[in-house]
Amino acid sequence: MAKSKVKIKDAFWSKYDALVRDVVIPYQRDVFNDNVTDADPSGAIRNFRIAAGEEEGEFYGMVFQDSDVAKWLEAVAYSLENHPNPELEKEADEIIDLIGRAQQPDGYLNTYFIINGLDKRWTNLHECHELYCAGHFIEAAVAYYEATGKRKLLDILCKFADHIDTVFGPEEGKLKGYPGHQEIELALVKLYRVTGNKKYLNLAKYFLDERGKKPYYFDIEWEKRGKTQFWPGHRNLGHEYQQSHLPVREQTEAVGHSVRAVYMYTAMVDVAMETGDEELLEACRRLWNNIVYKRMYITGGIGSQVHGESFTFDYDLPNDTVYAETCAAIGLVFFANRMLQAEPRGQYADVMERALYNGIISGMSLDGRGFFYVNPLEVNPEACEKNRNMRHVKPVRQKWFACACCPPNIARLLASLGRYIYGVKDNTVYTHLYIGSSSEVDIDGTKVGITQDTNYPWDGKVNITINLDGTKEFGLGLRIPGWCNDAKIFVNGEKIDLAEVTVDGYAVIQRNWQDGDRVEIDLAMEPVRVRPNPLVRADIGRVAIQNGPIVYCLEEVDNGPNLHTIVLPKDAELKVYYRQDLLGGVNVITAQGEKAKVEAWGPELYKAKGCIEYQPAQLTFVPYYAWVNREPGEMTVWVRER
Amino acid sequence: MAKSKVKIKDAFWSKYDALVRDVVIPYQRDVFNDNVTDADPSGAIRNFRIAAGEEEGEFYGMVFQDSDVAKWLEAVAYSLENHPNPELEKEADEIIDLIGRAQQPDGYLNTYFIINGLDKRWTNLHECHELYCAGHFIEAAVAYYEATGKRKLLDILCKFADHIDTVFGPEEGKLKGYPGHQEIELALVKLYRVTGNKKYLNLAKYFLDERGKKPYYFDIEWEKRGKTQFWPGHRNLGHEYQQSHLPVREQTEAVGHSVRAVYMYTAMVDVAMETGDEELLEACRRLWNNIVYKRMYITGGIGSQVHGESFTFDYDLPNDTVYAETCAAIGLVFFANRMLQAEPRGQYADVMERALYNGIISGMSLDGRGFFYVNPLEVNPEACEKNRNMRHVKPVRQKWFACACCPPNIARLLASLGRYIYGVKDNTVYTHLYIGSSSEVDIDGTKVGITQDTNYPWDGKVNITINLDGTKEFGLGLRIPGWCNDAKIFVNGEKIDLAEVTVDGYAVIQRNWQDGDRVEIDLAMEPVRVRPNPLVRADIGRVAIQNGPIVYCLEEVDNGPNLHTIVLPKDAELKVYYRQDLLGGVNVITAQGEKAKVEAWGPELYKAKGCIEYQPAQLTFVPYYAWVNREPGEMTVWVRER
């Protein structure tokens, strides 16, 4: 499998890779096993032991607690792929064995319902996440099989998927349902791809096609089970909450719970690609455009409000009451990744890169031990404490969450990052991300080695070396990032005319490649002021600083309190320099700005006489993703411009 | 009683007086009687019939539903004082008779507990508003007695107050409680003043002194009744919610539910004045300063968040997620009024005026038929609908509320406005408000007639005429508003040297006044830019326009959509002109501003190249209080300045 042949060796990402391996995976295993005393108990593994009849007790945790184990196993699989670790693999195998023992004779697998009564299974798809957990286990099973060649988990999940296929579908007697939290759709496509069994693809397509038809299945189901609710008030969230308000092909705006939304859109692209369904792909493009042109934070975060963890409306992007869940940005990367598979366009990779380098890794501390669920763009710690509108916004990363979806989701994404670097389409290998790595890509049956050597994102120079036996005619697509105004590419020292070869953000160099061919890419990178669309109420009159793909912020630790009083003059020079000692090594940006003389104002709350006085202030911007890895305090991405 | 001798005849306020009489009072009576088909039912009168045993049924409405009737009766009393209306008085008498029939033999009076079981009375002071409702009925009784000379309601309430005095107090066997929602404290001082019975003052003082002592009464009471809660989650609001976290004398910051807070502070001033308690008065000054220097909107609104309808923290004044309940601004006027009684300082009257002309009357539509509970300073109707943080903010006034505290509160304030114009202290009559009116003021036993003739707030000229038999030596204190930079005063045509006579915002003209003496006041009034303290995060970089006491706003109906894209240059001239045809006759302010060319930006959400382009835009500002009396749409008080 070509996918497994990417080894990351990168100044920026290798640290994360190591963190996932050395800190996150072991820590999460301890949490699942309830061996961490200073974090909320998880009960996730114990639930499986109880379900397997090996321990007495009650189900503990969220109804979707199983999915944490699944995401962990998936992360372990990706990690083992690149870093064999017999001990870890043995632990995973033991958990897989336990999962197998918990599985019911008919294939059913969900510890909540096994423990609380199988008679209740499939009666509340709307709220109870059975298909969601199944989806995560299928993803884990596919990854574990690909990484280790071991079929056990895959067999367990095929059996479960077969069971699900007997329960849901168009045939008489089957339930006409679909998941309350989408996830299984994209997982079933992966299962189809690894097994070749079209039943799984059809089931994914069925779930998507059935969704949003009237009368709504979730209403029918609700009546049928006697109008009981699992989560109080859940029905009030409405059908938009889980994107079941309209048939998926008719949806035009990204609405509702943002993680569900992007997981679903991802599956829609998958199914569209597998079935050649252009109408479905067009719906994906519409939803993509709605997000990236109207509902996305500059960090790649999505979801503007805590209520329903959801999208709100066009250009509504408050920085302080924001949600921007880490998982949602991860889901946006999945969506971008699939759009790139469907059609290699730079804008998809630009957004993928934006989310990766900003709103996703902001979700984890540099030591891998703290996590954000919510990724604000503006924080005043006192407001988080004292104004309830910011209650969900934490001014420091948390150890663990009762609802622990984000940490294992980050882990599985970072551990599989190599899969996002390249894409092969029509005899061309597209380079979506510039990450130091050595890969082996299969082009028409020819193995081509591609090595990237770079200090990205701290500078824009990337050296690529091609290795292959003999020669091979193929296209090498090199992404010209949207943030770059001046790109140069040399092949074996010869400059390429980019105007001639660049299409949709990719310079495609078509040639008969030889072993040892060298490509030098020089992406001019300088700090820039990014301005918002004037319809974004929260950001008007302000700028954000970006350098390459990295979005910057001001922190109190560098700039003192009252960050809102800072002004950046339009003509202030932005200086960039690399600081090895800071935040694991980052480019810092400085500028001569101004800051209000707060003490000169006096005690009045409002004054008709006099203006706020300003004084020069040396401003220090640090990468947004790395905020609050030092002293907690205020932070802002958007700065007033004058 | 001097209080009853003010007749308002004012270009601005007489309309409100008439509205209260002709629209609000009749409408509210119909609501209480459930005769309004297109509003939520009230049940308030029916509750009394049920409590009196004259009708079968269950209690309906809020646990404090009685208080709506009380506030209505109080408004009726004030209205009758100036506008005798035998029919209305008969209706009020009938309701008072009904109230008398509902009263229990021991004096107890609260329809919720009479209907639902007297055994539960006084078991949940924390949540159930018994003392709050008692307070409002006491206020009504005092007002009705003063207006009509009829003692019936006063006797009913004295009997109830006597009963309450047997239940609460320092003596053994009495409950050591105090109200969950303060109100009775200020009412008991009124009852003391009208009856001369010191027991009532002592009880008011007891309630204040007992508050905030540890162990907390509300905890003791909670344990005692078996830890039940009336409002789910109420205990989570904490002791600050009802200002019972600390003894009142030790409180330094305005916290918790803002209406409760200002009602309590008002009573604290009352008790401090009656008992000469300087320590208590000093606490009032501290709390006053905390509000007006750190926690008050420019409109006089208070309460920054919907959660707990409460204050948040210093300088936290969001314009769009604001609460600024109409009742809280009314309570701030009560507080200001009492501080003025304690010590005539212009700053108290400035705040009183600010709240009156802005954040209070904004709570009622110009036709008296619609009401705001929440008074936002910035509204985007789509955000109110689609972003849950603004769910409590209504973009148009509502007919009635299930929790209908604000409409009758506005009615009773407006109907009693004459009481806020003057204050007499130490042989000086202070003019706190400039309102066209004729009054008779008692100075040391001499009746002095004072007539004001003015077009305030649309211009700053006020003519005062003094009428009296013979002559009288006294001081006439004339307020120089904080917003006025250039005041001139003439007595019988002779210019007064204001520098010489002005103390704490009042020009005190001490002389031997004669019948027919004329005072001309000329307060230079021009539109000004008001700027916020730089610590106010929500307003930095923005200005508000004020002209005299009137705060202005931009509305979409005048300025098109996307008000946030508007910029007001620092040097743009602000022109003011009176428009008789608009909004009942108002000063309109225009300026040449700029507005973003939204369509020139293109589809991008973020751009590193190019700035937002602006084009000239004629801006029209209208008085804030009058917003959304035409087409609904966006509104903003604070405008970006360049």
Side-chain angles (χ1 to χ4, degrees):
Chain A
M1 291 147 286
K3 290 172 188 171
S4 63
K5 297 289 177 52
V6 179
K7 293 243 183 238
I8 290 178
K9 191 180 167 192
D10 184 72
F12 188 86
W13 289 108
S14 287
K15 287 180 298 195
Y16 284 99
D17 194 30
L19 266 188
V20 169
R21 211 165 59 235
D22 301 337
V23 180
V24 184
I25 286 175
Y27 182 77
Q28 294 184 355
R29 175 203 55 207
D30 290 346
V31 170
F32 299 145
N33 285 292
D34 304 326
N35 289 335
V36 176
T37 52
D38 58 350
D40 289 339
S42 155
I45 296 296
R46 187 167 169 267
N47 288 338
F48 277 96
R49 285 201 298 269
I50 297 166
E54 298 168 6
E55 188 170 327
E56 293 285 308
E58 294 188 356
F59 179 88
Y60 186 85
M62 295 283 174
V63 69
F64 48 83
Q65 206 78 348
D66 287 2
S67 65
D68 290 345
V69 178
K71 281 189 267 188
W72 180 81
L73 277 173
E74 190 185 345
V76 166
Y78 299 134
S79 178
L80 291 175
E81 204 165 79
N82 292 310
H83 309 282
N85 178 337
E87 200 180 325
L88 179 61
E89 187 166 335
K90 184 163 167 276
E91 284 180 42
D93 285 340
E94 283 169 9
I95 289 173
I96 291 166
D97 289 343
L98 172 61
I99 292 167
R101 296 197 299 277
Q103 185 169 39
Q104 300 301 290
D106 64 3
Y108 184 81
L109 181 62
N110 181 293
T111 69
Y112 178 83
F113 286 97
I114 294 171
I115 294 171
N116 288 312
L118 284 168
D119 55 315
K120 296 194 199 73
R121 63 179 164 171
W122 311 129
T123 60
N124 192 345
L125 299 180
H126 192 188
E127 300 175 274
C128 289
H129 291 69
E130 280 161 293
L131 293 170
Y132 169 83
C133 291
H136 274 303
F137 270 117
I138 291 169
E139 286 202 88
V142 170
Y144 203 74
Y145 168 68
E146 288 181 342
T148 64
K150 291 180 182 170
R151 290 199 59 98
K152 177 145 193 187
L153 190 59
L154 191 64
D155 290 341
I156 291 170
L157 271 299
C158 283
K159 190 175 172 189
F160 189 16
D162 293 342
H163 170 71
I164 292 169
D165 189 57
T166 67
V167 175
F168 298 94
E171 298 83 3
E172 213 183 296
K174 290 188 180 180
L175 295 176
K176 304 293 172 285
Y178 41 84
H181 194 314
Q182 304 91 312
E183 153 63 30
I184 195 171
E185 300 90 333
L186 73 86
L188 284 167
V189 176
K190 286 187 174 183
L191 192 59
Y192 156 65
R193 286 174 180 158
V194 83
T195 64
N197 188 339
K198 202 150 187 182
K199 171 165 72 172
Y200 303 134
L201 175 63
N202 290 340
L203 187 56
K205 185 173 177 324
Y206 176 77
F207 284 140
L208 290 174
D209 288 344
E210 198 62 25
R211 197 169 199 90
K213 282 189 187 168
K214 287 185 183 175
Y216 292 127
Y217 181 78
F218 296 144
D219 290 341
I220 295 167
E221 178 195 65
W222 180 66
E223 297 267 357
K224 206 162 135 189
R225 70 170 180 269
K227 303 186 176 181
T228 61
Q229 268 187 258
F230 185 86
W231 306 95
H234 189 269
R235 274 178 59 87
N236 300 340
L237 291 167
H239 292 283
E240 288 196 351
Y241 172 68
Q242 60 278 314
Q243 300 81 33
S244 60
H245 58 305
L246 277 177
V248 301
R249 282 172 176 72
E250 296 172 24
Q251 297 190 21
T252 55
E253 293 189 326
V255 298
H257 187 268
S258 53
V259 176
R260 289 167 211 237
V262 282
Y263 281 15
M264 181 177 87
Y265 307 154
T266 300
M268 285 163 64
V269 189
D270 280 338
V271 169
M273 280 192 294
E274 293 296 345
T275 62
D277 186 337
E278 176 57 30
E279 184 199 27
L280 188 57
L281 188 60
E282 188 54 33
C284 296
R285 288 191 197 102
R286 275 198 313 269
L287 292 161
W288 173 271
N289 286 338
N290 182 245
I291 292 176
V292 305
Y293 288 113
K294 295 179 179 171
R295 303 188 177 194
M296 181 185 73
Y297 288 92
I298 191 173
T299 56
I302 50 174
S304 291
Q305 66 176 346
V306 60
H307 174 75
E309 308 181 307
S310 64
F311 290 103
T312 55
F313 63 102
D314 289 348
Y315 306 110
D316 186 46
L317 295 161
N319 294 302
D320 53 352
T321 59
V322 50
Y323 206 68
E325 184 182 336
T326 307
C327 286
I330 291 170
L332 185 59
V333 165
F334 298 159
F335 186 18
N337 168 261
R338 301 311 197 278
M339 290 306 288
L340 281 169
Q341 289 173 13
E343 45 193 20
R345 290 184 181 163
Q347 65 148 305
Y348 302 133
D350 284 345
V351 169
M352 182 166 83
E353 184 180 74
R354 185 180 287 286
L356 264 179
Y357 283 91
N358 302 290
I360 290 174
I361 53 173
S362 61
M364 187 168 82
S365 62
L366 295 177
D367 64 5
R369 293 170 200 278
F371 298 90
F372 276 137
Y373 201 95
V374 168
N375 293 277
L377 282 80
E378 184 176 314
V379 166
N380 177 295
E382 194 172 9
C384 296
E385 186 193 341
K386 295 178 181 170
N387 186 317
R388 193 53 78 99
N389 286 325
M390 269 71 86
R391 176 177 51 155
H392 59 291
V393 178
K394 305 295 175 205
V396 293
R397 293 183 185 80
Q398 312 287 299
K399 263 206 132 57
W400 195 253
F401 302 95
C403 171
C405 60
C406 298
N409 225 353
I410 291 198
R412 70 180 181 131
L413 178 75
L414 293 178
S416 62
L417 191 60
R419 299 178 175 223
Y420 296 84
I421 300 176
Y422 298 106
V424 179
K425 196 173 178 81
D426 302 334
N427 206 40
T428 295
V429 52
Y430 290 90
T431 309
H432 303 311
L433 296 173
Y434 294 115
I435 295 179
S437 55
S438 51
S439 308
E440 191 174 89
V441 178
D442 187 319
I443 304 171
D444 277 351
T446 304
K447 308 275 186 220
V448 178
I450 308 179
T451 305
Q452 287 191 42
D453 186 19
T454 181
N455 195 32
Y456 199 90
W458 309 128
D459 77 44
K461 292 196 175 58
V462 185
N463 291 318
I464 289 181
T465 312
I466 302 293
N467 293 99
L468 73 168
D469 288 338
T471 65
K472 168 81 182 169
E473 164 88 27
F474 67 92
L476 178 64
L478 299 166
R479 175 172 155 258
I480 312 297
W483 54 258
C484 182
N485 290 324
D486 180 20
K488 295 188 188 76
I489 294 178
F490 303 86
V491 176
N492 297 326
E494 188 183 327
K495 192 171 178 187
I496 302 292
D497 180 352
L498 292 183
E500 201 165 282
V501 299
T502 304
V503 178
D504 269 345
Y506 287 86
V508 179
I509 300 163
Q510 187 75 33
R511 56 181 278 149
N512 201 22
W513 294 92
Q514 300 198 347
D515 187 52
D517 277 347
R518 284 175 305 102
V519 181
E520 290 161 73
I521 305 165
D522 189 355
L523 305 169
M525 190 185 280
E526 58 174 10
V528 290
R529 291 162 167 81
V530 178
R531 299 194 177 84
N533 186 305
L535 292 172
V536 181
R537 297 185 309 285
D539 300 336
I540 194 144
R542 308 210 275 174
V543 292
I545 303 303
Q546 194 173 326
N547 191 28
I550 301 285
V551 173
Y552 280 75
C553 70
L554 294 171
E555 278 198 275
E556 182 174 344
V557 64
D558 298 310
N559 301 284
N562 303 316
L563 298 181
H564 69 279
T565 68
I566 289 175
V567 174
L568 181 66
K570 271 205 175 76
D571 56 1
E573 188 190 355
L574 303 173
K575 292 183 188 166
V576 55
Y577 60 101
Y578 185 75
R579 272 188 60 183
Q580 182 62 54
D581 61 317
L582 195 71
L583 298 165
V586 293
N587 274 349
V588 167
I589 294 170
T590 61
Q592 188 67 36
E594 293 175 11
K595 202 172 175 190
K597 289 165 76 173
V598 168
E599 63 296 338
W601 175 268
E604 292 90 344
L605 194 45
Y606 306 105
K607 278 204 287 198
K609 293 162 217 159
C611 292
I612 296 171
E613 292 174 44
Y614 285 82
Q615 59 195 341
Q618 173 76 10
L619 307 182
T620 301
F621 295 84
V622 296
Y624 167 76
Y625 74 82
W627 84 277
V628 74
N629 276 284
R630 292 171 294 165
E631 287 163 48
E634 295 177 33
M635 182 277 291
T636 189
V637 168
W638 293 96
V639 184
R640 285 189 300 136
E641 185 175 43
R642 176 181 292 162
Chain B
M1 290 146 284
K3 289 174 187 168
S4 64
K5 298 286 178 55
V6 179
K7 293 242 184 241
I8 289 178
K9 190 181 166 190
D10 183 73
F12 188 86
W13 289 108
S14 287
K15 288 179 300 194
Y16 284 99
D17 195 29
L19 265 189
V20 168
R21 211 164 62 236
D22 301 337
V23 180
V24 184
I25 286 176
Y27 181 78
Q28 294 184 356
R29 175 204 55 206
D30 290 346
V31 169
F32 298 147
N33 285 290
D34 304 325
N35 290 334
V36 175
T37 51
D38 58 350
D40 288 339
S42 157
I45 295 297
R46 187 167 169 266
N47 288 339
F48 277 96
R49 285 202 298 271
I50 297 167
E54 298 168 8
E55 189 172 328
E56 293 284 309
E58 293 189 355
F59 179 88
Y60 186 85
M62 295 283 174
V63 69
F64 47 84
Q65 204 79 347
D66 287 3
S67 65
D68 290 345
V69 177
K71 281 188 267 187
W72 180 81
L73 277 172
E74 191 185 347
V76 166
Y78 299 134
S79 178
L80 291 176
E81 205 165 78
N82 292 309
H83 308 283
N85 179 338
E87 199 180 327
L88 179 61
E89 188 166 335
K90 184 163 166 278
E91 284 181 42
D93 285 339
E94 284 170 8
I95 289 174
I96 290 167
D97 289 342
L98 172 61
I99 292 168
R101 296 196 300 277
Q103 187 170 36
Q104 300 301 292
D106 63 2
Y108 184 81
L109 181 61
N110 182 292
T111 69
Y112 178 83
F113 286 98
I114 293 172
I115 295 171
N116 288 313
L118 284 167
D119 55 313
K120 295 191 198 77
R121 64 179 166 173
W122 310 129
T123 59
N124 192 346
L125 299 179
H126 192 188
E127 299 174 274
C128 289
H129 290 68
E130 280 160 294
L131 293 170
Y132 169 84
C133 291
H136 273 302
F137 270 116
I138 291 170
E139 286 201 89
V142 170
Y144 203 74
Y145 168 67
E146 289 181 341
T148 64
K150 291 179 182 170
R151 290 198 59 97
K152 177 144 191 186
L153 190 59
L154 190 65
D155 290 340
I156 291 170
L157 271 300
C158 283
K159 190 174 173 189
F160 189 15
D162 294 342
H163 171 70
I164 292 169
D165 191 56
T166 67
V167 175
F168 299 95
E171 297 85 2
E172 212 183 298
K174 289 188 180 179
L175 295 176
K176 304 295 172 284
Y178 41 84
H181 193 315
Q182 304 92 315
E183 152 65 31
I184 195 170
E185 301 90 334
L186 73 88
L188 284 167
V189 177
K190 287 186 174 185
L191 191 61
Y192 157 66
R193 286 174 180 159
V194 82
T195 62
N197 187 340
K198 201 149 186 181
K199 173 165 70 174
Y200 303 135
L201 176 63
N202 290 339
L203 186 56
K205 185 173 176 326
Y206 175 76
F207 284 141
L208 290 174
D209 287 346
E210 198 62 26
R211 197 168 200 89
K213 283 190 185 166
K214 288 184 182 174
Y216 293 126
Y217 181 77
F218 296 143
D219 291 340
I220 295 167
E221 179 194 64
W222 180 67
E223 298 265 358
K224 209 163 131 189
R225 70 169 180 271
K227 304 187 177 181
T228 61
Q229 268 186 259
F230 184 86
W231 305 95
H234 189 270
R235 274 179 59 87
N236 299 340
L237 291 166
H239 293 282
E240 288 197 352
Y241 172 67
Q242 60 279 310
Q243 299 81 34
S244 60
H245 58 304
L246 276 176
V248 300
R249 282 171 176 73
E250 296 172 24
Q251 298 189 22
T252 55
E253 293 190 326
V255 297
H257 188 268
S258 53
V259 175
R260 289 167 211 239
V262 283
Y263 281 14
M264 182 177 88
Y265 307 154
T266 301
M268 285 164 64
V269 189
D270 280 338
V271 169
M273 279 192 293
E274 292 296 345
T275 61
D277 186 337
E278 177 57 31
E279 184 199 27
L280 189 56
L281 188 60
E282 188 53 34
C284 296
R285 289 191 197 102
R286 275 199 312 268
L287 292 161
W288 173 271
N289 287 338
N290 181 245
I291 291 175
V292 306
Y293 288 113
K294 294 178 179 171
R295 302 187 179 194
M296 181 185 71
Y297 288 92
I298 190 173
T299 56
I302 51 174
S304 292
Q305 65 176 348
V306 60
H307 175 75
E309 307 181 309
S310 64
F311 291 103
T312 56
F313 63 101
D314 289 348
Y315 305 109
D316 186 46
L317 295 161
N319 294 302
D320 54 351
T321 60
V322 52
Y323 206 67
E325 183 182 339
T326 308
C327 286
I330 290 170
L332 185 60
V333 165
F334 298 159
F335 187 18
N337 168 264
R338 303 310 198 278
M339 290 305 289
L340 281 169
Q341 289 172 13
E343 46 193 20
R345 289 184 182 163
Q347 65 147 307
Y348 301 133
D350 284 345
V351 169
M352 182 166 82
E353 185 179 74
R354 185 180 286 287
L356 264 179
Y357 283 90
N358 301 291
I360 290 174
I361 52 173
S362 61
M364 188 168 80
S365 61
L366 295 178
D367 65 3
R369 294 170 200 277
F371 298 90
F372 276 137
Y373 201 96
V374 168
N375 293 276
L377 283 80
E378 185 176 312
V379 166
N380 178 295
E382 193 172 10
C384 296
E385 184 194 340
K386 296 179 181 169
N387 186 318
R388 194 52 79 97
N389 285 325
M390 269 69 89
R391 176 176 51 156
H392 59 292
V393 178
K394 305 296 175 202
V396 293
R397 291 181 186 80
Q398 312 286 299
K399 262 203 134 55
W400 196 253
F401 301 95
C403 171
C405 59
C406 298
N409 225 353
I410 291 198
R412 69 180 183 131
L413 178 74
L414 293 177
S416 62
L417 191 61
R419 300 180 172 220
Y420 296 84
I421 300 176
Y422 299 106
V424 178
K425 197 173 178 84
D426 303 333
N427 206 40
T428 295
V429 52
Y430 290 90
T431 309
H432 302 312
L433 296 173
Y434 294 115
I435 294 179
S437 55
S438 52
S439 309
E440 193 174 87
V441 179
D442 186 320
I443 304 171
D444 277 351
T446 305
K447 308 277 187 219
V448 177
I450 309 179
T451 305
Q452 287 191 43
D453 186 20
T454 181
N455 195 32
Y456 199 90
W458 307 129
D459 75 45
K461 292 196 175 58
V462 185
N463 291 318
I464 289 180
T465 312
I466 303 293
N467 292 100
L468 74 166
D469 290 337
T471 64
K472 169 77 181 171
E473 164 88 25
F474 67 91
L476 178 63
L478 298 166
R479 174 172 156 257
I480 312 297
W483 53 258
C484 182
N485 290 324
D486 180 18
K488 295 188 188 74
I489 294 177
F490 303 86
V491 176
N492 298 326
E494 189 182 325
K495 192 171 177 183
I496 302 293
D497 181 352
L498 292 183
E500 203 164 280
V501 299
T502 303
V503 179
D504 269 345
Y506 287 86
V508 179
I509 301 165
Q510 188 76 33
R511 57 182 277 148
N512 201 24
W513 293 91
Q514 301 196 344
D515 187 49
D517 276 349
R518 286 176 303 105
V519 181
E520 290 161 73
I521 305 165
D522 188 356
L523 305 169
M525 191 184 280
E526 57 174 13
V528 290
R529 290 164 167 80
V530 179
R531 298 194 177 84
N533 186 306
L535 292 172
V536 181
R537 298 187 307 286
D539 300 335
I540 194 145
R542 308 209 276 172
V543 292
I545 302 303
Q546 194 174 327
N547 190 28
I550 301 288
V551 173
Y552 280 75
C553 70
L554 293 172
E555 278 197 274
E556 182 174 344
V557 64
D558 298 311
N559 301 284
N562 302 316
L563 297 181
H564 69 279
T565 68
I566 288 175
V567 174
L568 181 66
K570 271 206 176 74
D571 56 0
E573 188 190 355
L574 302 172
K575 292 184 187 166
V576 55
Y577 61 102
Y578 186 74
R579 271 188 61 183
Q580 182 61 55
D581 61 316
L582 194 72
L583 297 165
V586 293
N587 275 347
V588 167
I589 294 169
T590 60
Q592 188 66 38
E594 293 175 10
K595 202 171 174 188
K597 289 165 77 170
V598 168
E599 63 296 338
W601 176 267
E604 291 90 344
L605 193 47
Y606 307 105
K607 279 204 285 198
K609 293 162 217 158
C611 291
I612 297 172
E613 292 174 45
Y614 285 83
Q615 58 195 343
Q618 174 75 10
L619 307 182
T620 301
F621 295 84
V622 296
Y624 167 75
Y625 74 81
W627 83 276
V628 74
N629 277 283
R630 294 171 294 166
E631 286 162 48
E634 295 178 33
M635 183 277 290
T636 189
V637 168
W638 294 97
V639 184
R640 286 190 298 136
E641 186 175 42
R642 176 179 292 159

